[in-house]
Amino acid sequence: MSEDIQRNLADGILELRLARPDKKNALTNAMYRALTAALAEASADPAITAVLIGGEGDAFCAGNDISGFLPANRTNDAMVFIRAIAGFDKPIVAAVQGLAVGVGTTMLLHCDLVYAAPDARFTVPFAKLGLVPEAASSLLLPQRIGQAKAAAMLLLGEPLDAESADRAGLLTAIVPADGLFAHARAKALALTALPPRALAETRRLMRGDRAAIDTRLGEEEAAFAAALAGAEAQEAFTAFLEKRAPVFTREGAK
Ligand code: COA
């Protein structure tokens, strides 16, 4: 387990905390691997009913660690995690405070119950970074919040604040920040009291068209890999790491 992922198993709930607060819980390859391993553990252990995901500090997750996008650091750890959470077979409850950027937002599309503090702010700035959506968000976000709202997020990179996200259907509820994690945990605990077969079947029936999600994941993975290798993304990442604004040219754009 990566030290940047805290794991606690109690009362049938596997709690996973993103714990890299000085970097706004940006996900490194090691963190993705730890999350994937934890999901596999939760799936295999009949004593675990639900997974609870939260973040330490003032942000839920600033997305993929940008340095992980650079050619020397690239692995398929993020993709493996996304496949794991998309195909996970038990309920996931999320507690979101502050920023949820990129995969910090798109992973929530695969969670069953999402509780957010009033300061939560959701962004999916893939296009701005020279990238394309991942985690089947190009399919699931329009389905969830509507095509027009999803376009503002995915094309323009516009944020949704907690109120707007709640109204749009991204959230289960907004919860005061000081009781957020306890509230999410209480809801996860409520799941453990339900008849297990009915819970599993209800969730399976609610999970939408799995084949369509798998197909879209494959399409996004191909487009993402192509974008990652392209000049636009490399300029965006270099600019972020050099703390300057990116400069994009129209040359070669279609
Ligand atoms: N990858 C790597 N480092 C990140 C990061 C990321 N995704 N997000 C934040 N950090 C780092 C910052 O570089 C900074 O590091 P430093 O203290 O060594 O300079 C630290 O985390 C704190 O972030 P900072 O930018 O100072 O906080 P902020 O509150 O001003 O802004 C964000 C927070 C999340 C808006 C901003 O950091 C950001 O835009 N991050 C990139 C988000 C992103 O594009 N993610 C990828 C989506 S695919």
Side-chain angles (χ1 to χ4, degrees), residues 20-24 26-27 58 62-67 69 99 101-103 125-126 129 131 134 224 240-241 243:
R20 200 182 172 222
D22 55 323
K23 298 290 182 186
K24 309 282 176 192
L27 294 173
D58 63 2
N64 201 99
D65 190 292
I66 297 283
S67 64
F69 284 140
L99 291 167
V101 186
V103 71
F126 301 111
L129 288 169
L131 295 172
E134 37 76 313
F224 202 94
F240 176 80
L241 296 171
K243 299 189 188 287

Side-chain angles (χ1 to χ4, degrees), residues 7-239:
R7 170 198 172 285
N8 182 47
L9 175 56
D11 308 322
I13 301 162
L14 183 62
E15 292 181 13
L16 301 172
R17 294 258 201 161
L18 314 181
R20 200 182 172 222
D22 55 323
K23 298 290 182 186
K24 309 282 176 192
N25 295 328
L27 294 173
T28 61
N29 291 327
M31 290 166 78
Y32 283 121
R33 287 196 299 276
L35 288 169
T36 302
L39 290 180
E41 174 199 355
S43 179
D45 185 345
I48 296 177
T49 297
V51 171
L52 175 55
I53 298 183
E56 291 290 319
D58 63 2
F60 174 66
C61 176
N64 201 99
D65 190 292
I66 297 283
S67 64
F69 284 140
L70 299 177
N73 303 331
R74 237 176 268 160
T75 68
N76 65 355
D77 292 319
M79 194 191 78
V80 173
F81 164 68
I82 284 167
R83 290 269 179 181
I85 195 168
F88 190 60
D89 57 358
K90 292 182 181 178
I92 305 178
V93 183
V96 181
Q97 81 287 4
L99 291 167
V101 186
V103 71
T105 287
T106 61
M107 75 164 85
L108 302 174
L109 298 167
H110 302 283
C111 295
D112 299 271
L113 298 166
V114 181
Y115 298 98
D119 72 343
R121 197 173 156 88
F122 303 87
T123 55
V124 277
F126 301 111
K128 278 184 170 178
L129 288 169
L131 295 172
V132 299
E134 37 76 313
S137 57
S138 61
L139 176 71
L140 297 175
L141 196 61
Q143 278 178 2
R144 184 74 73 85
I145 70 171
Q147 188 76 22
K149 292 250 181 284
M153 292 188 78
L154 285 170
L155 297 177
L156 294 173
E158 288 182 0
L160 276 191
D161 61 19
E163 286 285 347
S164 312
D166 191 33
R167 266 197 310 274
L170 203 58
L171 305 182
T172 307
I174 299 175
V175 177
D178 58 1
L180 173 67
F181 203 77
H183 182 89
R185 191 170 193 287
K187 296 296 181 182
L189 208 53
L191 295 171
T192 67
L194 293 169
R197 183 158 304 161
L199 175 63
E201 278 293 278
T202 302
R203 184 172 188 271
R204 183 182 65 76
L205 291 162
M206 285 183 69
R207 298 265 295 157
D209 185 343
R210 303 310 302 167
I213 291 172
D214 283 346
T215 302
R216 185 60 62 93
L217 283 171
E219 289 169 1
E220 288 178 351
E221 283 161 12
F224 202 94
L228 254 189
E232 293 179 350
Q234 291 311 309
E235 166 58 12
F237 304 150
T238 307

